[in-house]
Amino acid sequence: LMEEPKIDTLKRKLVVGVAPVGAFVTKDVLPMVPNNPKEVIAAAKECFDAGASLIHIHCKTPEGILSVDPQLSVDTLQPIKELCPGVIVSGNVADNKEYDDRRLFLEPLEEIMRLDPDIFDTYTLQTASRTMWKVTKKGLQDQVTCLEDYGIKPELQCPTLHGTLNVKR
């Protein structure tokens, strides 16, 4: 049995972020993935109890279909915030793939914020896309400005080296 050396940085506070719900992953592919609001809420609570302090959520309908419906978002995220005091909720309701700026997510976000202005602590922006979404410097800057105007902290997700370089630029 080999023991890993201690990592000095772990003596400081650490943010543990989790994403228990795959945006495009279904139970057909991964049977244990949370696939409806009840399962998503339970998974978030389990992650929180294990030490997660940031939870990134994609909301799904009772049938397990990815959705940016504002009421579904609130109905899923409010219980998480209630069950997990102090957790940072990171959301994503990007839907309008033809846009690279705030129009990518603005319509559902405005409605969600009307229903519950404190629902998102952070919001994930992709800096390089694995989907058909466009990502441009000007568009990403507009998305960041929009979120800051709503008092939401932009969270930049870098799934590739290209994304990291985009953030650096």
Side-chain angles (χ1 to χ4, degrees):
L1 179 70
M2 280 184 49
E3 207 173 294
E4 291 289 323
K6 289 187 178 185
I7 301 171
D8 289 335
T9 57
L10 293 181
K11 292 178 184 173
R12 298 186 308 240
K13 288 187 177 184
L14 178 70
V15 173
V16 175
V18 296
V21 184
F24 305 108
V25 181
T26 64
K27 286 194 179 290
D28 297 341
V29 176
L30 192 62
M32 70 283 286
V33 71
N35 216 33
N36 61 54
K38 184 178 177 183
E39 291 177 0
V40 170
I41 294 165
K45 175 71 166 112
E46 188 176 337
C47 291
F48 176 76
D49 290 345
S53 51
L54 181 143
I55 301 176
H56 177 79
I57 297 291
H58 293 275
C59 295
K60 296 195 175 183
T61 66
E63 299 76 33
I65 299 167
L66 182 67
S67 175
V68 298
D69 175 76
Q71 190 62 58
L72 176 67
S73 294
V74 171
D75 290 346
T76 302
L77 299 177
Q78 276 180 341
I80 292 171
K81 290 195 93 150
E82 290 167 11
L83 290 169
C84 308
V87 75
I88 299 167
V89 172
S90 171
N92 189 312
V93 291
D95 194 35
N96 293 312
K97 295 178 183 69
E98 64 268 27
Y99 299 117
D100 67 333
D101 56 15
R102 68 182 65 206
R103 293 171 294 174
L104 178 68
F105 57 73
L106 189 59
E107 189 177 331
L109 180 66
E110 282 182 331
E111 181 64 12
I112 290 168
M113 299 302 282
R114 189 185 67 73
L115 294 169
D116 184 345
D118 299 317
I119 203 80
F120 291 132
D121 300 295
T122 68
Y123 186 96
T124 302
L125 303 169
Q126 284 203 13
T127 58
S129 186
R130 295 169 289 180
T131 66
M132 297 303 292
W133 294 331
K134 299 174 187 174
V135 179
T136 67
K137 180 179 178 179
K138 185 177 176 185
L140 195 56
Q141 288 172 333
D142 185 55
Q143 291 176 39
V144 167
T145 300
C146 176
L147 294 171
E148 288 176 339
D149 288 347
Y150 275 105
I152 300 171
K153 182 122 179 126
E155 172 193 340
L156 301 173
Q157 183 182 69
C158 304
T160 65
L161 175 60
H162 184 69
T164 306
L165 297 174
N166 283 345
V167 170
K168 188 175 180 180
R169 278 194 290 272

